Amino acid sequence: MAASLEVFQCKVARPFESFGLRRSSGRSVRCSGAVAGRHSKSYSVTLIPGDGIGPEIISVAKDVLVLTGCLEGIKYEFNEVLMGGAALDATGVPLPDLTLSTAKQSHAVLLGAVGGYKWDNNPKSLKPETGLLQLRKELGVFANLRPATVYPPLVDASTLKTHVAHGVDLMLIRELTGGIYFGQPRGFGTYENGEEFAFNTEIYATHEIDRIAHFAFKIAQKRRGKLCSIDKANVLEASMLWRKRFLAIAQEYPDVELSHMYVDNASMQLIRDPKQFDTVVTNNIFGDILSDEASMVTGSIGMLPSASLADLGPGVFEPIHGSAPDIAGQDKANPFATVLSAAMLLRYGLGEEKAAERIENAVLDTLNRGFRTVDIYSPGTKLVGCKQLGEEIMKSVESNVPASAAV
């Protein structure tokens, strides 16, 4: 059942008064009178905590959104709903109708993570991840943006040599609703000799390629004007059509330098020389794999956010890491990726650029002040848990450190 949480009613770990907030009845929080009158924009945000560490990281990101909104004149109506394993346990399905309808009626969806060992042996239709695939398909979020940035304070956390990792700043764009994950026919069968087989279909139609191509070229225009399309056009027919369409559409974007790379070479180049890439675009399955590889260039998968966008309607914003059931409930989760996903929600979902920059600067400032969760800890830094890191991020949000000072 959806729980409608009215504007700024949430739990904040620090004393509320230090953030210009005040406590009303119970555990709710509201802006102080000095800032409450500044609210000029209101948005509906669907929260899906999910499974494992999902509730912990969503709690932090929500607090950061609330404080940022309070300071930037933005208010929210939050609606928290179930998906994944939590939904399976409560309703018997991974994506309840209420969750889908709530998401469709909102301005944006902020998601934690789904899945866990408990449901690993479920049939496919009853796996938590099936709910996520269904949500993406139903919302039509075909373009997945996954930035991979090496923050200067974390350059030593990368497994790559410092001179290789330093300065990496790339955007990986993954087509999200086509390809082998959704292609038909698919299924299981048995040969005449009794041997079982399974099959999937990698399939793309022209319109699916064209829309992700236009999207990628436009993102490249806003960055450094370089776009690398990754495929396997020397072997796969679907990739041959992919490359043909990208070459055709490139004529409409003469200010963008288009290059092509086979996926096996791209996986090597991401490790050998990641700074050669600016904007990268690829299909669903290649993007799934390469984005996780890119996360390790940055030092931890716990640092990478994502935005899944549609032509119309709400986007889905989520960290790219999983539910990490082995550390769930232990206050060890890294909330940075989810907080950065909240910043992407503000920028790409709501068009609130200033508020997004405030959060991004706060993340960098928190890193500069030396606070780390266990996955990015190194000697000389301050090891903290998920909750305390959230408190430190909020201190930086409140101070509104400019980007030049945060670097």
Side-chain angles (χ1 to χ4, degrees):
M1 181 176 181
S4 179
L5 306 177
E6 291 301 325
V7 180
F8 304 127
Q9 292 185 353
C10 76
K11 300 177 182 178
V12 179
R14 286 185 61 206
F16 305 114
E17 292 77 7
S18 64
F19 291 129
L21 305 175
R22 62 180 175 82
R23 193 191 292 272
S24 59
S25 60
R27 296 288 293 172
S28 63
V29 180
R30 294 190 182 277
C31 285
S32 66
V35 291
R38 293 172 49 208
H39 298 145
S40 58
K41 292 160 285 190
S42 179
Y43 303 105
S44 172
V45 177
T46 296
L47 297 177
I48 305 179
D51 310 315
I53 63 172
E56 300 168 66
I57 55 180
I58 283 291
S59 178
V60 170
K62 178 185 172 186
D63 287 350
V64 171
L65 273 175
V66 167
L67 177 59
T68 303
C70 190
L71 297 169
E72 295 291 344
I74 302 166
K75 59 182 179 180
Y76 311 93
E77 178 187 345
F78 293 105
N79 292 284
E80 188 171 313
V81 289
L82 299 175
M83 193 178 78
L88 281 165
D89 290 349
T91 70
V93 295
L95 180 64
D97 291 341
L98 179 59
T99 296
L100 181 58
S101 62
T102 301
K104 285 183 174 180
Q105 294 168 24
S106 66
H107 289 99
V109 178
L110 184 62
L111 170 65
V114 297
Y117 308 132
K118 178 179 180 180
W119 308 281
D120 277 352
N121 295 322
N122 284 14
K124 182 181 177 182
S125 62
L126 297 179
K127 286 185 176 293
E129 295 80 4
T130 298
L132 178 57
L133 292 176
Q134 291 172 342
L135 179 69
R136 291 170 176 170
K137 193 72 174 179
E138 289 291 331
L139 293 181
V141 287
F142 68 91
N144 182 230
L145 277 67
R146 297 191 173 192
T149 302
V150 175
Y151 292 95
L154 287 182
V155 68
D156 291 333
S158 174
T159 55
L160 300 181
K161 293 179 179 179
T162 299
H163 75 274
V164 176
H166 182 73
V168 170
D169 176 19
L170 66 90
M171 176 70 79
L172 194 150
I173 301 172
R174 169 189 174 191
E175 198 290 323
L176 200 59
T177 57
I180 201 168
Y181 291 162
F182 297 97
Q184 297 291 343
R186 62 192 300 149
F188 300 89
T190 305
Y191 291 120
E192 292 181 359
N193 65 2
E195 182 182 11
E196 290 184 307
F197 65 89
F199 59 99
N200 296 88
T201 302
E202 167 74 356
I203 184 169
Y204 273 104
T206 298
H207 80 275
E208 293 175 301
I209 301 171
D210 287 3
R211 68 182 180 181
I212 195 67
H214 284 292
F215 187 93
F217 276 107
K218 290 173 183 176
I219 292 293
Q221 284 178 321
K222 295 177 181 178
R223 288 175 56 85
R224 298 190 294 275
K226 293 175 59 178
L227 177 64
C228 181
S229 175
I230 294 175
D231 57 38
K232 193 62 177 171
N234 58 335
V235 175
L236 302 176
E237 283 80 1
S239 282
M240 294 174 191
L241 179 60
W242 178 282
R243 183 171 294 203
K244 176 183 176 182
R245 293 308 306 159
F246 267 82
L247 285 168
I249 291 171
Q251 306 305 310
E252 302 178 36
Y253 301 90
D255 55 334
V256 176
E257 177 188 337
L258 175 66
S259 62
H260 305 272
M261 192 174 290
Y262 296 142
V263 64
D264 44 351
N265 184 33
S267 65
M268 179 183 70
Q269 295 296 332
L270 268 174
I271 299 301
R272 189 188 71 82
D273 181 19
K275 286 195 288 287
Q276 70 182 279
F277 297 106
D278 174 30
T279 306
V280 176
V281 60
T282 190
N283 68 8
N284 205 338
I285 190 168
F286 296 162
D288 194 359
I289 297 166
L290 292 176
S291 60
D292 281 8
E293 182 185 11
S295 74
M296 295 316 298
V297 174
T298 70
S300 172
I301 199 170
M303 294 301 301
L304 268 67
S306 76
S308 301
L309 306 175
D311 284 325
L312 296 171
V316 179
F317 303 85
E318 60 181 310
I320 78 164
H321 60 68
S323 62
D326 53 321
I327 62 169
Q330 300 176 39
D331 196 34
K332 293 182 179 179
N334 181 346
F336 274 132
T338 314
V339 170
L340 289 168
S341 296
M344 294 189 80
L345 181 154
L346 287 165
R347 173 175 290 114
Y348 296 105
L350 306 180
E352 298 289 350
E353 180 69 26
K354 186 178 177 182
E357 289 181 356
R358 182 188 279 265
I359 292 178
E360 291 165 346
N361 293 343
V363 166
L364 183 52
D365 182 58
T366 304
L367 289 169
N368 281 332
R369 292 190 291 116
F371 293 97
R372 306 285 190 272
T373 45
V374 65
D375 59 311
I376 53 175
Y377 173 77
S378 61
T381 60
K382 306 166 189 175
L383 180 62
V384 296
C386 182
K387 291 180 181 178
Q388 185 177 344
L389 187 60
E391 295 173 18
E392 297 300 333
I393 295 171
M394 293 180 73
K395 289 179 183 177
S396 295
V397 167
E398 185 184 32
S399 66
N400 196 23
V401 180
S404 58
V407 174

